[in-house]
Structure formats: structure tokens, C-alpha cells
Amino acid sequence: MVLLGGIFGFLGVLGLSGIPATEMAPGYGGRFGEDRFGIVVRCDEAEAARVESMMKESGAEEVVREGVQ
């Protein structure tokens, strides 16, 4: 009985903490992993061109602009 309580308590903690994640975060790309990383920048449309140029000047391999959700 104690063992079942421990198991269900552990499963309850996992379920309430969101582990494992069932939804991917907005902006997540599956290609980011061992040797790459990505940055998500949320800004107004008026600032998007300036942020994009700053990223390219800093040596970004790829800059992708996504629409507002």
C-alpha cells in the first residue's frame, strides 16, 4: 500500500509539473540540439527589421521572421 502511494505520488508530481512537455514552445526548432542553438526575439513589427539586421551583422547563420500569433 505504501509502495502504491509512493508511485502515484511521484506520477502526480510529474503530471502537475508538466514533465514531460506535451506541447512544443512557440519558436522551438527541432534542429537545435547538440551543436546549435536558437534565439527567439519577440518585438513589434517596427523593430523587426532592426533586430534582423543586428542578428545578421553579429554572424547569425540563419534569421527567420515568423508572424505574430
Coordinates of all heavy atoms in Angstrom, one line a residue:
M1 N 0.8 -1.2 0.0 CA 0.0 0.0 0.0 C 0.9 1.3 0.0 O 0.6 2.2 -0.7 CB -0.9 0.0 1.2 CG -2.1 0.8 1.1 SD -3.1 0.4 -0.3 CE -4.6 0.0 0.4
V2 N 1.9 1.2 0.8 CA 2.9 2.4 0.8 C 3.6 2.5 -0.5 O 3.7 3.7 -1.0 CB 3.9 2.2 2.0 CG1 4.9 3.3 1.9 CG2 3.2 2.2 3.3
L3 N 3.9 1.4 -1.1 CA 4.5 1.5 -2.5 C 3.6 2.1 -3.5 O 4.1 3.0 -4.3 CB 4.9 0.1 -2.9 CG 5.6 -0.1 -4.3 CD1 6.9 0.8 -4.3 CD2 5.9 -1.5 -4.6
L4 N 2.4 1.7 -3.5 CA 1.4 2.4 -4.4 C 1.2 3.8 -4.2 O 1.2 4.6 -5.1 CB 0.1 1.7 -4.4 CG 0.0 0.3 -5.0 CD1 -1.4 -0.3 -4.7 CD2 0.3 0.3 -6.4
G5 N 1.2 4.2 -2.9 CA 1.1 5.6 -2.6 C 2.3 6.4 -3.1 O 2.2 7.5 -3.6
G6 N 3.5 5.8 -3.0 CA 4.7 6.5 -3.5 C 4.7 6.6 -5.0 O 5.1 7.6 -5.5
I7 N 4.3 5.5 -5.6 CA 4.3 5.6 -7.1 C 3.3 6.6 -7.6 O 3.6 7.4 -8.5 CB 3.9 4.2 -7.7 CG1 5.1 3.2 -7.4 CG2 3.6 4.2 -9.2 CD1 4.8 1.8 -7.8
F8 N 2.1 6.6 -7.1 CA 1.1 7.6 -7.5 C 1.4 9.0 -7.1 O 1.1 9.9 -7.8 CB -0.3 7.2 -7.0 CG -0.9 6.0 -7.8 CD1 -1.1 4.8 -7.2 CD2 -1.2 6.2 -9.1 CE1 -1.6 3.7 -7.9 CE2 -1.8 5.1 -9.8 CZ -2.0 3.9 -9.2
G9 N 2.1 9.2 -6.0 CA 2.6 10.5 -5.6 C 3.6 11.0 -6.6 O 3.6 12.2 -7.0
F10 N 4.5 10.1 -7.0 CA 5.6 10.5 -7.9 C 4.9 10.9 -9.3 O 5.3 11.9 -9.9 CB 6.6 9.4 -8.1 CG 7.6 9.6 -9.1 CD1 8.6 10.6 -8.8 CD2 7.7 8.9 -10.3 CE1 9.6 10.8 -9.8 CE2 8.7 9.2 -11.2 CZ 9.7 10.1 -11.0
L11 N 4.0 10.0 -9.8 CA 3.3 10.3 -11.0 C 2.5 11.6 -11.0 O 2.4 12.4 -11.9 CB 2.4 9.2 -11.4 CG 3.1 7.8 -11.8 CD1 2.1 6.7 -12.0 CD2 4.0 8.1 -13.0
G12 N 1.9 11.9 -9.8 CA 1.2 13.1 -9.6 C 2.1 14.4 -9.7 O 1.8 15.4 -10.3
V13 N 3.3 14.3 -9.1 CA 4.2 15.4 -9.2 C 4.7 15.6 -10.6 O 4.7 16.7 -11.1 CB 5.4 15.1 -8.3 CG1 6.6 16.1 -8.6 CG2 5.0 15.2 -6.8
L14 N 5.0 14.5 -11.3 CA 5.4 14.7 -12.8 C 4.2 15.3 -13.6 O 4.5 16.1 -14.4 CB 5.7 13.3 -13.3 CG 7.0 12.7 -12.9 CD1 7.3 11.3 -13.6 CD2 8.2 13.6 -13.2
G15 N 3.0 14.8 -13.4 CA 1.9 15.3 -14.1 C 1.6 16.8 -13.9 O 1.3 17.6 -14.8
L16 N 1.7 17.2 -12.6 CA 1.4 18.6 -12.3 C 2.5 19.6 -12.6 O 2.3 20.8 -12.8 CB 1.0 18.7 -10.8 CG -0.3 18.0 -10.4 CD1 -0.4 18.1 -8.9 CD2 -1.4 18.7 -11.1
S17 N 3.7 19.1 -12.8 CA 4.9 19.9 -13.1 C 5.1 20.1 -14.6 O 5.9 20.9 -15.0 CB 6.1 19.4 -12.4 OG 6.5 18.2 -13.0
G18 N 4.4 19.3 -15.4 CA 4.5 19.5 -16.8 C 5.6 18.6 -17.4 O 6.1 18.9 -18.5
I19 N 6.1 17.6 -16.7 CA 7.2 16.8 -17.2 C 6.5 15.5 -17.6 O 5.9 14.8 -16.8 CB 8.2 16.5 -16.1 CG1 8.8 17.9 -15.7 CG2 9.3 15.6 -16.6 CD1 9.8 17.8 -14.5
P20 N 6.7 14.9 -18.7 CA 7.3 15.5 -19.9 C 6.4 16.6 -20.6 O 5.2 16.6 -20.4 CB 7.5 14.3 -20.8 CG 6.4 13.4 -20.5 CD 6.2 13.6 -19.0
A21 N 7.1 17.5 -21.3 CA 6.3 18.5 -22.0 C 5.5 17.9 -23.1 O 6.0 17.1 -23.9 CB 7.3 19.5 -22.6
T22 N 4.2 18.2 -23.2 CA 3.3 17.6 -24.2 C 3.2 18.6 -25.4 O 2.7 18.2 -26.4 CB 2.0 17.3 -23.6 OG1 1.4 18.5 -23.0 CG2 2.0 16.3 -22.5
E23 N 3.5 19.9 -25.2 CA 3.5 20.8 -26.3 C 4.8 21.5 -26.5 O 5.5 21.7 -25.5 CB 2.4 21.9 -26.0 CG 1.0 21.4 -25.8 CD 0.1 22.5 -25.5 OE1 0.5 23.7 -25.4 OE2 -1.1 22.3 -25.2
M24 N 5.2 21.7 -27.7 CA 6.4 22.4 -28.0 C 6.2 23.9 -27.8 O 5.2 24.5 -28.1 CB 6.9 22.2 -29.4 CG 7.3 20.8 -29.7 SD 8.7 20.3 -28.6 CE 8.9 18.6 -29.0
A25 N 7.2 24.6 -27.3 CA 7.2 26.0 -27.1 C 7.2 26.8 -28.4 O 7.8 26.3 -29.4 CB 8.4 26.5 -26.2
P26 N 6.5 27.9 -28.5 CA 6.5 28.7 -29.7 C 7.9 29.1 -30.1 O 8.7 29.5 -29.2 CB 5.7 29.9 -29.4 CG 4.9 29.6 -28.1 CD 5.7 28.5 -27.4
G27 N 8.3 28.9 -31.3 CA 9.6 29.3 -31.8 C 10.6 28.2 -31.7 O 11.7 28.3 -32.1
Y28 N 10.2 27.0 -31.1 CA 11.2 25.9 -31.0 C 11.4 25.3 -32.3 O 10.5 25.0 -33.1 CB 10.6 24.9 -30.0 CG 11.5 23.6 -29.9 CD1 12.7 23.7 -29.1 CD2 11.3 22.5 -30.6 CE1 13.5 22.6 -29.0 CE2 12.1 21.4 -30.5 CZ 13.2 21.5 -29.7 OH 14.0 20.4 -29.7
G29 N 12.7 25.0 -32.6 CA 13.1 24.3 -33.8 C 13.7 23.0 -33.5 O 14.7 23.0 -32.6
G30 N 13.4 21.9 -34.1 CA 13.9 20.6 -33.8 C 15.4 20.5 -34.2 O 16.1 19.6 -33.7
R31 N 15.9 21.4 -35.0 CA 17.3 21.3 -35.4 C 18.3 21.8 -34.4 O 19.5 21.6 -34.5 CB 17.5 22.0 -36.8 CG 17.3 23.5 -36.7 CD 17.4 24.1 -38.1 NE 17.0 25.5 -38.1 CZ 15.8 26.0 -38.1 NH1 14.8 25.2 -38.2 NH2 15.7 27.3 -38.1
F32 N 17.7 22.4 -33.3 CA 18.6 22.9 -32.3 C 18.9 21.8 -31.3 O 18.0 21.2 -30.8 CB 18.0 24.1 -31.5 CG 17.6 25.2 -32.4 CD1 16.3 25.7 -32.4 CD2 18.5 25.8 -33.3 CE1 15.9 26.8 -33.2 CE2 18.1 26.8 -34.1 CZ 16.8 27.3 -34.1
G33 N 20.1 21.5 -31.1 CA 20.4 20.3 -30.2 C 21.8 20.4 -29.7 O 22.2 21.4 -29.0
E34 N 22.6 19.5 -30.1 CA 24.0 19.3 -29.6 C 24.9 20.5 -30.0 O 25.7 21.0 -29.1 CB 24.6 18.0 -30.0 CG 23.9 16.8 -29.4 CD 24.5 15.5 -29.9 OE1 25.6 15.5 -30.5 OE2 23.8 14.5 -29.7
D35 N 24.9 20.9 -31.2 CA 25.9 21.8 -31.7 C 25.3 23.1 -32.2 O 26.0 24.0 -32.7 CB 26.7 21.2 -32.8 CG 25.9 20.8 -34.0 OD1 24.7 20.7 -33.9 OD2 26.5 20.7 -35.1
R36 N 24.0 23.4 -32.0 CA 23.4 24.6 -32.5 C 22.4 25.1 -31.4 O 21.9 24.4 -30.6 CB 22.6 24.4 -33.7 CG 23.4 23.9 -34.9 CD 22.6 24.0 -36.2 NE 23.3 23.4 -37.3 CZ 24.2 24.1 -38.0 NH1 24.4 25.4 -37.7 NH2 24.9 23.5 -39.0
F37 N 22.2 26.4 -31.4 CA 21.2 27.0 -30.5 C 20.4 28.0 -31.3 O 20.9 28.6 -32.3 CB 21.8 27.5 -29.2 CG 22.8 28.7 -29.4 CD1 22.3 30.0 -29.4 CD2 24.1 28.5 -29.7 CE1 23.1 31.1 -29.6 CE2 24.9 29.6 -29.9 CZ 24.5 30.8 -29.8
G38 N 19.3 28.4 -30.8 CA 18.4 29.4 -31.4 C 18.0 30.4 -30.4 O 18.0 30.2 -29.2
I39 N 17.7 31.6 -30.9 CA 17.2 32.7 -30.1 C 15.9 33.1 -30.6 O 15.7 33.4 -31.8 CB 18.2 33.8 -30.1 CG1 19.6 33.4 -29.6 CG2 17.7 35.0 -29.4 CD1 20.7 34.4 -29.8
V40 N 14.9 33.3 -29.8 CA 13.6 33.8 -30.1 C 13.5 35.2 -29.6 O 13.7 35.5 -28.4 CB 12.5 32.9 -29.5 CG1 11.1 33.6 -29.8 CG2 12.5 31.5 -30.1
V41 N 13.3 36.2 -30.5 CA 13.1 37.6 -30.1 C 11.7 38.0 -30.4 O 11.3 37.9 -31.5 CB 14.1 38.5 -30.9 CG1 14.0 39.9 -30.5 CG2 15.6 38.0 -30.7
R42 N 11.0 38.4 -29.4 CA 9.7 38.9 -29.6 C 9.7 40.5 -29.5 O 10.2 41.1 -28.6 CB 8.7 38.4 -28.4 CG 8.5 36.9 -28.6 CD 7.5 36.5 -27.5 NE 7.2 35.1 -27.8 CZ 7.8 34.1 -27.2 NH1 8.8 34.3 -26.4 NH2 7.5 32.8 -27.4
C43 N 9.3 41.1 -30.6 CA 9.3 42.5 -30.7 C 8.2 43.0 -31.6 O 7.5 42.2 -32.3 CB 10.7 43.0 -31.2 SG 11.0 42.4 -32.9
D44 N 8.0 44.3 -31.6 CA 7.0 44.9 -32.5 C 7.5 44.8 -34.0 O 8.7 44.7 -34.3 CB 6.8 46.4 -32.2 CG 6.2 46.6 -30.8 OD1 5.5 45.7 -30.4 OD2 6.5 47.6 -30.2
E45 N 6.5 44.9 -34.9 CA 6.9 44.8 -36.3 C 7.8 46.0 -36.7 O 8.7 45.8 -37.6 CB 5.6 44.9 -37.2 CG 5.8 44.6 -38.6 CD 6.4 43.2 -39.0 OE1 6.0 42.3 -38.3 OE2 7.1 43.1 -39.9
A46 N 7.7 47.1 -36.1 CA 8.5 48.3 -36.4 C 10.0 48.0 -36.0 O 10.9 48.5 -36.7 CB 8.0 49.5 -35.6
E47 N 10.2 47.2 -35.0 CA 11.6 46.9 -34.6 C 12.1 45.6 -35.3 O 13.4 45.4 -35.1 CB 11.6 46.6 -33.1 CG 11.3 47.8 -32.2 CD 11.4 47.5 -30.8 OE1 10.4 46.9 -30.3 OE2 12.4 47.8 -30.2
A48 N 11.3 44.9 -36.0 CA 11.8 43.6 -36.5 C 12.9 43.8 -37.5 O 13.9 43.0 -37.5 CB 10.6 42.9 -37.2
A49 N 12.9 44.8 -38.4 CA 13.9 44.9 -39.3 C 15.3 45.3 -38.6 O 16.3 44.8 -39.0 CB 13.6 46.0 -40.3
R50 N 15.2 46.1 -37.6 CA 16.4 46.5 -36.9 C 17.0 45.2 -36.2 O 18.2 45.0 -36.2 CB 16.1 47.6 -35.9 CG 17.3 48.1 -35.1 CD 17.0 49.3 -34.2 NE 16.2 48.9 -33.1 CZ 16.7 48.4 -31.9 NH1 17.9 48.3 -31.8 NH2 15.8 48.1 -31.0
V51 N 16.2 44.4 -35.5 CA 16.6 43.2 -34.8 C 17.2 42.2 -35.9 O 18.3 41.7 -35.6 CB 15.5 42.6 -34.0 CG1 15.9 41.2 -33.5 CG2 15.1 43.5 -32.9
E52 N 16.6 42.1 -37.0 CA 17.1 41.2 -38.0 C 18.4 41.6 -38.5 O 19.3 40.8 -38.7 CB 16.1 41.1 -39.2 CG 16.4 40.1 -40.2 CD 15.3 40.0 -41.3 OE1 14.2 40.5 -41.1 OE2 15.6 39.3 -42.3
S53 N 18.6 42.9 -38.8 CA 19.9 43.4 -39.2 C 21.0 43.2 -38.2 O 22.1 42.8 -38.5 CB 19.8 44.8 -39.7 OG 19.6 45.7 -38.6
M54 N 20.7 43.4 -36.9 CA 21.6 43.2 -35.8 C 22.1 41.7 -35.8 O 23.3 41.5 -35.6 CB 21.0 43.6 -34.5 CG 21.0 45.1 -34.3 SD 20.3 45.7 -32.7 CE 20.1 44.3 -31.7
M55 N 21.1 40.8 -35.9 CA 21.5 39.4 -35.9 C 22.4 39.0 -37.0 O 23.4 38.3 -36.9 CB 20.2 38.6 -36.0 CG 19.2 38.8 -34.8 SD 19.8 38.2 -33.3 CE 19.3 36.5 -33.4
K56 N 22.1 39.5 -38.2 CA 22.9 39.2 -39.4 C 24.3 39.8 -39.2 O 25.3 39.2 -39.6 CB 22.3 39.7 -40.7 CG 21.1 38.9 -41.1 CD 20.4 39.4 -42.3 CE 19.2 38.5 -42.7 NZ 18.5 39.1 -43.9
E57 N 24.4 41.0 -38.7 CA 25.7 41.7 -38.5 C 26.5 40.9 -37.5 O 27.8 40.9 -37.5 CB 25.5 43.1 -38.1 CG 25.0 44.0 -39.1 CD 24.7 45.4 -38.6 OE1 24.9 45.7 -37.4 OE2 24.2 46.2 -39.4
S58 N 25.9 40.3 -36.5 CA 26.6 39.5 -35.5 C 27.0 38.1 -35.9 O 27.6 37.4 -35.1 CB 25.7 39.4 -34.3 OG 25.4 40.7 -33.8
G59 N 26.7 37.8 -37.2 CA 27.1 36.5 -37.7 C 26.1 35.3 -37.6 O 26.5 34.2 -37.6
A60 N 24.9 35.6 -37.5 CA 23.8 34.6 -37.5 C 23.9 33.8 -38.8 O 23.9 34.3 -39.8 CB 22.5 35.2 -37.2
E61 N 23.8 32.5 -38.7 CA 23.8 31.6 -39.8 C 22.4 31.8 -40.6 O 22.4 31.7 -41.8 CB 23.9 30.1 -39.4 CG 25.3 29.8 -39.0 CD 25.4 28.3 -38.7 OE1 24.6 27.5 -39.1 OE2 26.4 28.0 -38.1
E62 N 21.4 31.9 -39.8 CA 20.0 32.0 -40.4 C 19.1 32.9 -39.5 O 19.2 32.8 -38.3 CB 19.4 30.6 -40.5 CG 18.0 30.5 -41.0 CD 17.5 29.1 -41.0 OE1 18.1 28.2 -40.4 OE2 16.4 28.9 -41.5
V63 N 18.3 33.7 -40.2 CA 17.4 34.6 -39.5 C 16.0 34.3 -40.1 O 15.8 34.4 -41.3 CB 17.7 36.1 -39.6 CG1 16.7 36.9 -38.9 CG2 19.1 36.3 -39.0
V64 N 15.1 33.9 -39.3 CA 13.7 33.5 -39.7 C 12.7 34.5 -39.0 O 12.8 34.5 -37.8 CB 13.4 32.1 -39.4 CG1 11.9 31.8 -39.8 CG2 14.3 31.1 -40.1
R65 N 11.9 35.1 -39.8 CA 10.9 36.0 -39.2 C 9.6 35.3 -39.3 O 9.1 35.0 -40.3 CB 10.9 37.3 -39.9 CG 10.0 38.3 -39.2 CD 9.7 39.6 -40.0 NE 11.0 40.4 -40.2 CZ 11.0 41.6 -40.6 NH1 9.9 42.2 -41.0 NH2 12.1 42.2 -40.8
E66 N 8.9 35.1 -38.1 CA 7.6 34.5 -38.1 C 6.6 35.5 -37.8 O 6.9 36.5 -37.1 CB 7.6 33.4 -37.1 CG 8.5 32.2 -37.4 CD 8.4 31.1 -36.4 OE1 7.6 31.2 -35.4 OE2 9.1 30.1 -36.6
G67 N 5.3 35.3 -38.2 CA 4.3 36.2 -37.9 C 3.8 36.2 -36.5 O 4.2 35.3 -35.7
V68 N 3.1 37.2 -36.1 CA 2.5 37.4 -34.8 C 1.4 36.3 -34.6 O 0.6 36.1 -35.4 CB 2.0 38.8 -34.6 CG1 1.4 38.9 -33.2 CG2 3.1 39.8 -34.8
Q69 N 1.4 35.7 -33.4 CA 0.4 34.7 -33.0 C -0.6 35.3 -32.1 O -0.4 36.1 -31.3 CB 1.1 33.5 -32.4 CG 1.9 32.8 -33.4 CD 2.6 31.6 -32.7 OE1 2.5 31.4 -31.5 NE2 3.2 30.8 -33.5

